[in-house]
Amino acid sequence: MLFWGILPIVLLLLLVVIIAKVGTGIQGEQAAPIEKLNFEKIKLVDEGFEVSVLNSGPEAVTVAQVIIDDSFWNADFDPSPTIDRLGRSTVFIPYPWVQGDPHQIKFITSKGLIFTGDVIAAIKTPELSGERFMKYALIGFYVGIVPIALGLLWFPFMRRFSARGIHAVLALTVGLLFFLVIDTFEEGFELAINVPGVFQGTGLVWFGALLSFLLLIAIDQANERRMKKEATGRQISYKLATGIGLHNLGEGLAIGAAFSVGEAALGTFLIIGFTLHNITEGVGIAAPLLKDRPTWKTFVYLAAIAGGPAIIGTWIGGFIFNNTLAALFFGIGAGAILQVIYVISKMIYKESLVKKYSLVSWTNFGGLTLGILLMYATAMLVKY
């Protein structure tokens, strides 16, 4: 049995090796060179530019000439001007850039193709230091943790609602999450545009979402079979906080990246917008707890899980931003949020059957609509 299981794989590998070594048998000249260089990061230092590039094409690429603002310029390469497939090289260009001015960097390959990277407004790239590290942490704290905690403070008020009122609040949570998952997908797809083609940025977003959704569903079903009961309100709140935390990781990425390239005004604008936007997320996290008796520690943990990733995201965006990983994170976050929508919707449906309430009632519809409108209105403070 083992032999017949391994044999097709061995034969397939043998076929691939033969095609790679011998070829297809069809002779012909390449119509045009196939080369692809991706500018991963342009770092501005006192002496000039440090450009990190990735060869995402099918063959090795040799950078023959460097042009800065339409002038040919000398450059040093680490490790080499010839970059193998999926290889990286750092190009140091000693150039007297001007604070606040735009600059354009062009690489001309040995086959004559030109690849361009733009510096919109020149400013020295911030270096990792204890002071800046703590400043980014503070930004993430009052963008993520503080507004989530303020939203959780509505818990005592919501506890006074009737059964129908609790259903309306849960429906409001679903509305918040519907908007949030769409926004998360959009952010992921925007980043996917800048992902090197070989990594299939759009696919990363979809794969991350699908696999995280299915993984969480599988974990839920395994827990239900082992415990012989459905998830409690507290467990759902923790799942909700985890999904929102992944989304807030992306918000931190956006803020940190804005400050790292010198767009301080944009970064400040995003801080204010995200802070107001995230208060509604705290309300949604508290909703599944309305029938439980949580302690103050539960709320501290929920605020940390949902808001803490904004701190990590700000660090990543400010110091080591990577479009490929960011797109994947957004996809995983979207899948986690979709799974929570599924769980809360199932909860509302089953309770409506037990208490003989209509699932599609005016109160539920009103809660769902209000959740979407709240997120839409606060999102207007963030879009630019």
Side-chain angles (χ1 to χ4, degrees), residues 1-10:
M1 183 178 67
L2 183 62
F3 171 78
W4 289 112
I6 296 176
L7 181 61
I9 299 175
V10 174

mmCIF file with all atom_site columns, all heavy atoms in Angstrom, residues 1-10:
data_model
loop_
_atom_site.group_PDB
_atom_site.id
_atom_site.type_symbol
_atom_site.label_atom_id
_atom_site.label_alt_id
_atom_site.label_comp_id
_atom_site.label_asym_id
_atom_site.label_entity_id
_atom_site.label_seq_id
_atom_site.pdbx_PDB_ins_code
_atom_site.Cartn_x
_atom_site.Cartn_y
_atom_site.Cartn_z
_atom_site.occupancy
_atom_site.B_iso_or_equiv
_atom_site.pdbx_formal_charge
_atom_site.auth_seq_id
_atom_site.auth_comp_id
_atom_site.auth_asym_id
_atom_site.auth_atom_id
_atom_site.pdbx_PDB_model_num
ATOM 1  N N   . MET A 1 1  ? 0.831  -1.203 0.000  1.00 0.00 ? 1  MET A N   1
ATOM 2  C CA  . MET A 1 1  ? 0.000  0.000  0.000  1.00 0.00 ? 1  MET A CA  1
ATOM 3  C C   . MET A 1 1  ? 0.871  1.261  0.000  1.00 0.00 ? 1  MET A C   1
ATOM 4  O O   . MET A 1 1  ? 0.596  2.244  -0.698 1.00 0.00 ? 1  MET A O   1
ATOM 5  C CB  . MET A 1 1  ? -0.924 -0.008 1.230  1.00 0.00 ? 1  MET A CB  1
ATOM 6  C CG  . MET A 1 1  ? -1.885 1.179  1.285  1.00 0.00 ? 1  MET A CG  1
ATOM 7  S SD  . MET A 1 1  ? -2.978 1.100  2.719  1.00 0.00 ? 1  MET A SD  1
ATOM 8  C CE  . MET A 1 1  ? -1.776 1.324  4.041  1.00 0.00 ? 1  MET A CE  1
ATOM 9  N N   . LEU A 1 2  ? 1.957  1.219  0.804  1.00 0.00 ? 2  LEU A N   1
ATOM 10 C CA  . LEU A 1 2  ? 2.863  2.355  0.866  1.00 0.00 ? 2  LEU A CA  1
ATOM 11 C C   . LEU A 1 2  ? 3.534  2.585  -0.489 1.00 0.00 ? 2  LEU A C   1
ATOM 12 O O   . LEU A 1 2  ? 3.704  3.730  -0.929 1.00 0.00 ? 2  LEU A O   1
ATOM 13 C CB  . LEU A 1 2  ? 3.918  2.111  1.953  1.00 0.00 ? 2  LEU A CB  1
ATOM 14 C CG  . LEU A 1 2  ? 4.911  3.247  2.198  1.00 0.00 ? 2  LEU A CG  1
ATOM 15 C CD1 . LEU A 1 2  ? 4.178  4.489  2.670  1.00 0.00 ? 2  LEU A CD1 1
ATOM 16 C CD2 . LEU A 1 2  ? 5.957  2.824  3.228  1.00 0.00 ? 2  LEU A CD2 1
ATOM 17 N N   . PHE A 1 3  ? 3.901  1.485  -1.182 1.00 0.00 ? 3  PHE A N   1
ATOM 18 C CA  . PHE A 1 3  ? 4.542  1.590  -2.493 1.00 0.00 ? 3  PHE A CA  1
ATOM 19 C C   . PHE A 1 3  ? 3.639  2.312  -3.486 1.00 0.00 ? 3  PHE A C   1
ATOM 20 O O   . PHE A 1 3  ? 4.077  3.229  -4.193 1.00 0.00 ? 3  PHE A O   1
ATOM 21 C CB  . PHE A 1 3  ? 4.891  0.184  -3.006 1.00 0.00 ? 3  PHE A CB  1
ATOM 22 C CG  . PHE A 1 3  ? 5.357  0.172  -4.430 1.00 0.00 ? 3  PHE A CG  1
ATOM 23 C CD1 . PHE A 1 3  ? 6.650  0.556  -4.761 1.00 0.00 ? 3  PHE A CD1 1
ATOM 24 C CD2 . PHE A 1 3  ? 4.491  -0.214 -5.463 1.00 0.00 ? 3  PHE A CD2 1
ATOM 25 C CE1 . PHE A 1 3  ? 7.083  0.552  -6.084 1.00 0.00 ? 3  PHE A CE1 1
ATOM 26 C CE2 . PHE A 1 3  ? 4.926  -0.216 -6.773 1.00 0.00 ? 3  PHE A CE2 1
ATOM 27 C CZ  . PHE A 1 3  ? 6.221  0.163  -7.087 1.00 0.00 ? 3  PHE A CZ  1
ATOM 28 N N   . TRP A 1 4  ? 2.362  1.908  -3.558 1.00 0.00 ? 4  TRP A N   1
ATOM 29 C CA  . TRP A 1 4  ? 1.440  2.524  -4.510 1.00 0.00 ? 4  TRP A CA  1
ATOM 30 C C   . TRP A 1 4  ? 1.070  3.949  -4.109 1.00 0.00 ? 4  TRP A C   1
ATOM 31 O O   . TRP A 1 4  ? 0.619  4.740  -4.938 1.00 0.00 ? 4  TRP A O   1
ATOM 32 C CB  . TRP A 1 4  ? 0.175  1.668  -4.649 1.00 0.00 ? 4  TRP A CB  1
ATOM 33 C CG  . TRP A 1 4  ? 0.436  0.394  -5.383 1.00 0.00 ? 4  TRP A CG  1
ATOM 34 C CD1 . TRP A 1 4  ? 0.406  -0.855 -4.879 1.00 0.00 ? 4  TRP A CD1 1
ATOM 35 C CD2 . TRP A 1 4  ? 0.787  0.269  -6.762 1.00 0.00 ? 4  TRP A CD2 1
ATOM 36 N NE1 . TRP A 1 4  ? 0.725  -1.777 -5.847 1.00 0.00 ? 4  TRP A NE1 1
ATOM 37 C CE2 . TRP A 1 4  ? 0.956  -1.109 -7.029 1.00 0.00 ? 4  TRP A CE2 1
ATOM 38 C CE3 . TRP A 1 4  ? 0.985  1.168  -7.805 1.00 0.00 ? 4  TRP A CE3 1
ATOM 39 C CZ2 . TRP A 1 4  ? 1.303  -1.602 -8.276 1.00 0.00 ? 4  TRP A CZ2 1
ATOM 40 C CZ3 . TRP A 1 4  ? 1.334  0.682  -9.054 1.00 0.00 ? 4  TRP A CZ3 1
ATOM 41 C CH2 . TRP A 1 4  ? 1.491  -0.684 -9.279 1.00 0.00 ? 4  TRP A CH2 1
ATOM 42 N N   . GLY A 1 5  ? 1.264  4.271  -2.844 1.00 0.00 ? 5  GLY A N   1
ATOM 43 C CA  . GLY A 1 5  ? 1.018  5.660  -2.427 1.00 0.00 ? 5  GLY A CA  1
ATOM 44 C C   . GLY A 1 5  ? 2.156  6.586  -2.814 1.00 0.00 ? 5  GLY A C   1
ATOM 45 O O   . GLY A 1 5  ? 1.941  7.754  -3.150 1.00 0.00 ? 5  GLY A O   1
ATOM 46 N N   . ILE A 1 6  ? 3.399  6.055  -2.780 1.00 0.00 ? 6  ILE A N   1
ATOM 47 C CA  . ILE A 1 6  ? 4.576  6.881  -3.065 1.00 0.00 ? 6  ILE A CA  1
ATOM 48 C C   . ILE A 1 6  ? 4.905  6.929  -4.552 1.00 0.00 ? 6  ILE A C   1
ATOM 49 O O   . ILE A 1 6  ? 5.404  7.942  -5.061 1.00 0.00 ? 6  ILE A O   1
ATOM 50 C CB  . ILE A 1 6  ? 5.792  6.354  -2.268 1.00 0.00 ? 6  ILE A CB  1
ATOM 51 C CG1 . ILE A 1 6  ? 5.534  6.498  -0.766 1.00 0.00 ? 6  ILE A CG1 1
ATOM 52 C CG2 . ILE A 1 6  ? 7.072  7.084  -2.663 1.00 0.00 ? 6  ILE A CG2 1
ATOM 53 C CD1 . ILE A 1 6  ? 6.633  5.918  0.094  1.00 0.00 ? 6  ILE A CD1 1
ATOM 54 N N   . LEU A 1 7  ? 4.615  5.855  -5.298 1.00 0.00 ? 7  LEU A N   1
ATOM 55 C CA  . LEU A 1 7  ? 5.014  5.750  -6.701 1.00 0.00 ? 7  LEU A CA  1
ATOM 56 C C   . LEU A 1 7  ? 4.556  6.932  -7.559 1.00 0.00 ? 7  LEU A C   1
ATOM 57 O O   . LEU A 1 7  ? 5.366  7.506  -8.307 1.00 0.00 ? 7  LEU A O   1
ATOM 58 C CB  . LEU A 1 7  ? 4.504  4.425  -7.289 1.00 0.00 ? 7  LEU A CB  1
ATOM 59 C CG  . LEU A 1 7  ? 4.868  4.180  -8.762 1.00 0.00 ? 7  LEU A CG  1
ATOM 60 C CD1 . LEU A 1 7  ? 6.385  4.129  -8.943 1.00 0.00 ? 7  LEU A CD1 1
ATOM 61 C CD2 . LEU A 1 7  ? 4.199  2.903  -9.270 1.00 0.00 ? 7  LEU A CD2 1
ATOM 62 N N   . PRO A 1 8  ? 3.281  7.364  -7.532 1.00 0.00 ? 8  PRO A N   1
ATOM 63 C CA  . PRO A 1 8  ? 2.874  8.508  -8.376 1.00 0.00 ? 8  PRO A CA  1
ATOM 64 C C   . PRO A 1 8  ? 3.650  9.780  -8.062 1.00 0.00 ? 8  PRO A C   1
ATOM 65 O O   . PRO A 1 8  ? 3.955  10.562 -8.978 1.00 0.00 ? 8  PRO A O   1
ATOM 66 C CB  . PRO A 1 8  ? 1.378  8.672  -8.057 1.00 0.00 ? 8  PRO A CB  1
ATOM 67 C CG  . PRO A 1 8  ? 0.952  7.328  -7.555 1.00 0.00 ? 8  PRO A CG  1
ATOM 68 C CD  . PRO A 1 8  ? 2.127  6.790  -6.812 1.00 0.00 ? 8  PRO A CD  1
ATOM 69 N N   . ILE A 1 9  ? 3.992  9.994  -6.781 1.00 0.00 ? 9  ILE A N   1
ATOM 70 C CA  . ILE A 1 9  ? 4.731  11.196 -6.409 1.00 0.00 ? 9  ILE A CA  1
ATOM 71 C C   . ILE A 1 9  ? 6.139  11.147 -6.993 1.00 0.00 ? 9  ILE A C   1
ATOM 72 O O   . ILE A 1 9  ? 6.648  12.143 -7.531 1.00 0.00 ? 9  ILE A O   1
ATOM 73 C CB  . ILE A 1 9  ? 4.778  11.335 -4.873 1.00 0.00 ? 9  ILE A CB  1
ATOM 74 C CG1 . ILE A 1 9  ? 3.362  11.469 -4.309 1.00 0.00 ? 9  ILE A CG1 1
ATOM 75 C CG2 . ILE A 1 9  ? 5.625  12.537 -4.472 1.00 0.00 ? 9  ILE A CG2 1
ATOM 76 C CD1 . ILE A 1 9  ? 3.295  11.498 -2.803 1.00 0.00 ? 9  ILE A CD1 1
ATOM 77 N N   . VAL A 1 10 ? 6.780  9.994  -6.896 1.00 0.00 ? 10 VAL A N   1
ATOM 78 C CA  . VAL A 1 10 ? 8.132  9.840  -7.439 1.00 0.00 ? 10 VAL A CA  1
ATOM 79 C C   . VAL A 1 10 ? 8.147  10.059 -8.947 1.00 0.00 ? 10 VAL A C   1
ATOM 80 O O   . VAL A 1 10 ? 9.007  10.756 -9.496 1.00 0.00 ? 10 VAL A O   1
ATOM 81 C CB  . VAL A 1 10 ? 8.695  8.448  -7.087 1.00 0.00 ? 10 VAL A CB  1
ATOM 82 C CG1 . VAL A 1 10 ? 10.035 8.219  -7.778 1.00 0.00 ? 10 VAL A CG1 1
ATOM 83 C CG2 . VAL A 1 10 ? 8.847  8.299  -5.575 1.00 0.00 ? 10 VAL A CG2 1
#
